Amino acid sequence: MSAPYLLYYWPTIQGRGEFVRLALEAAGADYQDVARLPERKGRQQGMPAMLACLDGNVTRQPAYAPPVLGHGELLIGQTPNILFYLGKQLGLAPRAEAGRLWLNQLQLTMADWLTEVHDTHHPLAMGQYYEDQAAAAALRAQDFRTTRLPKFLDYFTQVLANNGSRGNFLVGGKLTYGDLSLFQMIAGLRHAFPQAMERLAPRCPALSDLHDSVAARPHIARYLNSRRRLPFSEEGIFRHYPELDG
Amino acid sequence: MSAPYLLYYWPTIQGRGEFVRLALEAAGADYQDVARLPERKGRQQGMPAMLACLDGNVTRQPAYAPPVLGHGELLIGQTPNILFYLGKQLGLAPRAEAGRLWLNQLQLTMADWLTEVHDTHHPLAMGQYYEDQAAAAALRAQDFRTTRLPKFLDYFTQVLANNGSRGNFLVGGKLTYGDLSLFQMIAGLRHAFPQAMERLAPRCPALSDLHDSVAARPHIARYLNSRRRLPFSEEGIFRHYPELDG
């Protein structure tokens, strides 16, 4: 299909939408970040267009939450599902079924990891302020830093080591959306937990290498230096609260 | 492929493995629940076989966590990924790509929902006892019952209403693995939060109907009455702690 891709996501944060943005950017795809466009009467853009994707009275197959990707007649929700589709469309996934399933498995594991990152600052109620659950967050973050984070880092380090292909890729011998997502995980974790990540860096040098090689790819380097790349912030998933690091 | 399916999952709980069991049972598939078979020297069964799937020194593409499905040369992790594969294999998914993506989107939304259920009793540290985080669990469970649970129930009620096909199915006009998973969500939530589910039942009658129609399917009814169906318990994801209900 030659229709442009339409990304519907919160306009002011990286969040889960960033995993989709990175895939679109890496492939040089023609896309619009719809909710970041100004609202205009009669035009399907701005926040109202994003909210319509979630409204089952307007959209027959509504998403539970953003991001949502529109492409031609398709409207696709859930980040790993969007990437599964885009991987095939944009040449960012293996062609064989076994490789696509393995990549999807790794992406779903990153999705679980990301949810655990989110829950370090919102362990009790995602709709309430961090400040109102800071004591519980300190406990959850401690468990994350000492138990969960090393386990995830070790896992992906082993996956990289076990990939027999040349180059530092998660799956096979060329870039997939999984590498882009792993770059984002490492970048985000370094923002949120700089001390913990520095402490753990010696056990996962291959993850640092992957981060750097993805960041240096021309399309990605140009994107990261553009205004299209939103900054990390304490509104997103990767938040730097010094009291949660250590 | 005519090879039997091999499910690797904890042998004493329903957990995430149950979503896979239900798909295999509904299709009358030839499968083994490997970790529930007795350990025997030189045989790949029992708990050691399951743990080998997670060990990157033994398995080239290890899973981060069970369940894992073996089928011929394939070894597939992550529940929604396993179901995506089985859906095609067992005729429990639409054939067209758009339908398969929509079903996968719904399955991923149920996976998110399930993680939120888990976190009601383990909001601070999944590796520690419930009793050591019971106070935080009470707060998380309250938010779940009053905010998140109604939102998920409303969402899936709307999805059912918006499906224009005959019959009470999530996607199209015949049974998919999504219906089996939604049955399991409702059954589990009724076990864990009987009061809350009774209170919320009037707003989601279509979910009760779906639960009942899935439970009445011959293959499923036979399974639910067999010893293969493990009971709900306070070791699994859906746990009944009266103090978390209300």
Side-chain angles (χ1 to χ4, degrees):
Chain A
M1 283 191 273
S2 59
Y5 296 96
L6 303 174
L7 172 63
Y8 299 90
Y9 194 66
W10 302 107
T12 57
I13 60 168
Q14 292 186 13
R16 288 182 167 79
E18 194 64 15
F19 296 84
V20 181
R21 291 187 185 111
L22 284 166
L24 293 164
E25 292 283 349
D30 177 13
Y31 81 100
Q32 294 193 316
D33 206 339
V34 178
R36 291 172 71 181
L37 301 173
E39 291 179 37
R40 283 195 198 138
K41 211 171 171 179
R43 296 277 294 273
Q44 296 298 311
Q45 58 185 55
M47 276 290 285
M50 188 198 87
L51 295 172
C53 296
L54 313 182
D55 182 349
N57 297 313
V58 176
T59 302
R60 195 172 72 84
Q61 296 184 339
Y64 185 78
V68 173
L69 183 81
H71 191 212
E73 296 293 306
L74 288 170
L75 200 61
I76 308 170
Q78 284 280 359
T79 310
N81 194 40
I82 294 170
L83 291 171
F84 189 84
Y85 175 74
L86 283 180
K88 190 175 178 181
Q89 290 284 319
L90 303 177
L92 290 171
R95 289 195 187 170
E97 183 185 30
R100 294 181 73 203
L101 290 168
W102 172 232
L103 175 56
N104 189 42
Q105 177 177 337
L106 296 173
Q107 190 67 39
L108 290 166
T109 304
M110 284 189 266
D112 290 344
W113 190 5
L114 186 70
T115 296
E116 295 194 28
V117 172
H118 170 273
D119 283 8
T120 60
H121 50 77
H122 277 76
L124 300 183
M126 71 178 67
Q128 290 175 24
Y129 291 113
Y130 162 68
E131 288 73 15
D132 295 333
Q133 49 196 309
L139 294 170
R140 173 97 187 205
Q142 184 186 27
D143 182 72
F144 178 76
R145 292 192 318 268
T146 57
T147 306
R148 303 297 295 169
L149 179 56
K151 189 176 172 192
F152 278 110
L153 295 173
D154 288 353
Y155 176 75
F156 283 100
T157 298
Q158 175 115 52
V159 167
L160 285 170
N162 281 14
N163 180 5
S165 303
R166 283 183 56 178
N168 196 29
F169 302 109
L170 275 178
V171 179
K174 61 191 277 278
L175 184 79
T176 67
Y177 62 79
D179 302 308
L180 300 168
S181 294
L182 190 51
F183 155 81
Q184 176 68 7
M185 291 300 302
I186 300 300
L189 288 162
R190 286 178 179 173
H191 170 79
F193 303 100
Q195 290 184 44
M197 286 297 282
E198 175 131 0
R199 181 168 46 77
L200 294 166
R203 71 200 281 163
C204 52
L207 298 184
S208 291
D209 291 349
L210 184 141
H211 169 277
D212 294 350
S213 65
V214 167
R217 297 182 75 91
H219 280 179
I220 295 296
R222 208 173 312 141
Y223 168 61
L224 297 177
N225 282 311
S226 76
R227 297 183 59 169
R228 298 193 302 285
R229 171 78 166 183
L230 294 160
F232 286 110
S233 80
E234 280 53 77
E235 306 292 321
I237 296 174
F238 294 106
R239 302 187 184 190
H240 179 50
Y241 294 122
E243 63 274 23
L244 299 186
D245 191 15
Chain B
M1 284 191 272
S2 58
Y5 295 97
L6 302 174
L7 171 63
Y8 300 89
Y9 194 67
W10 303 108
T12 57
I13 60 168
Q14 291 186 12
R16 288 183 167 79
E18 194 64 16
F19 296 86
V20 182
R21 291 188 186 110
L22 284 166
L24 293 164
E25 292 283 348
D30 177 14
Y31 81 100
Q32 293 193 316
D33 206 339
V34 178
R36 293 172 70 182
L37 300 173
E39 292 179 36
R40 284 196 197 137
K41 211 170 169 180
R43 296 276 296 272
Q44 296 297 311
Q45 57 185 54
M47 276 291 285
M50 189 198 88
L51 294 172
C53 296
L54 313 182
D55 182 350
N57 297 314
V58 177
T59 301
R60 194 172 73 83
Q61 296 184 340
Y64 185 78
V68 174
L69 184 81
H71 192 211
E73 296 294 305
L74 288 171
L75 200 62
I76 308 169
Q78 284 281 358
T79 310
N81 193 40
I82 294 169
L83 292 171
F84 190 83
Y85 174 74
L86 283 180
K88 190 175 178 182
Q89 290 285 319
L90 303 177
L92 290 171
R95 290 194 186 170
E97 183 184 31
R100 294 181 74 203
L101 291 168
W102 172 231
L103 175 56
N104 189 41
Q105 177 177 338
L106 296 172
Q107 191 66 39
L108 289 167
T109 303
M110 283 188 268
D112 290 344
W113 191 6
L114 186 70
T115 296
E116 295 194 27
V117 172
H118 170 273
D119 283 8
T120 58
H121 49 78
H122 277 76
L124 299 184
M126 70 179 67
Q128 291 175 23
Y129 292 111
Y130 162 68
E131 288 73 14
D132 294 333
Q133 49 196 309
L139 293 170
R140 174 97 186 206
Q142 183 185 30
D143 182 71
F144 178 76
R145 292 192 317 269
T146 58
T147 305
R148 303 297 295 170
L149 179 56
K151 189 176 173 193
F152 278 110
L153 294 173
D154 288 353
Y155 175 74
F156 283 99
T157 299
Q158 175 115 52
V159 167
L160 284 170
N162 281 15
N163 180 3
S165 303
R166 281 185 55 178
N168 196 30
F169 301 110
L170 274 178
V171 178
K174 60 191 276 282
L175 184 79
T176 68
Y177 63 79
D179 301 308
L180 300 168
S181 294
L182 190 50
F183 155 80
Q184 177 67 6
M185 291 300 302
I186 299 301
L189 287 162
R190 286 179 179 173
H191 170 78
F193 303 101
Q195 290 184 45
M197 287 297 282
E198 174 132 0
R199 182 169 45 77
L200 293 165
R203 69 199 283 163
C204 52
L207 299 184
S208 291
D209 290 349
L210 184 140
H211 169 278
D212 295 350
S213 65
V214 167
R217 297 182 75 91
H219 280 178
I220 296 297
R222 209 173 311 141
Y223 169 61
L224 296 176
N225 282 311
S226 76
R227 297 183 59 170
R228 299 193 302 284
R229 170 78 167 184
L230 293 161
F232 287 110
S233 80
E234 279 53 77
E235 307 292 320
I237 297 174
F238 294 106
R239 303 186 183 190
H240 179 51
Y241 294 123
E243 64 273 23
L244 299 185
D245 191 16

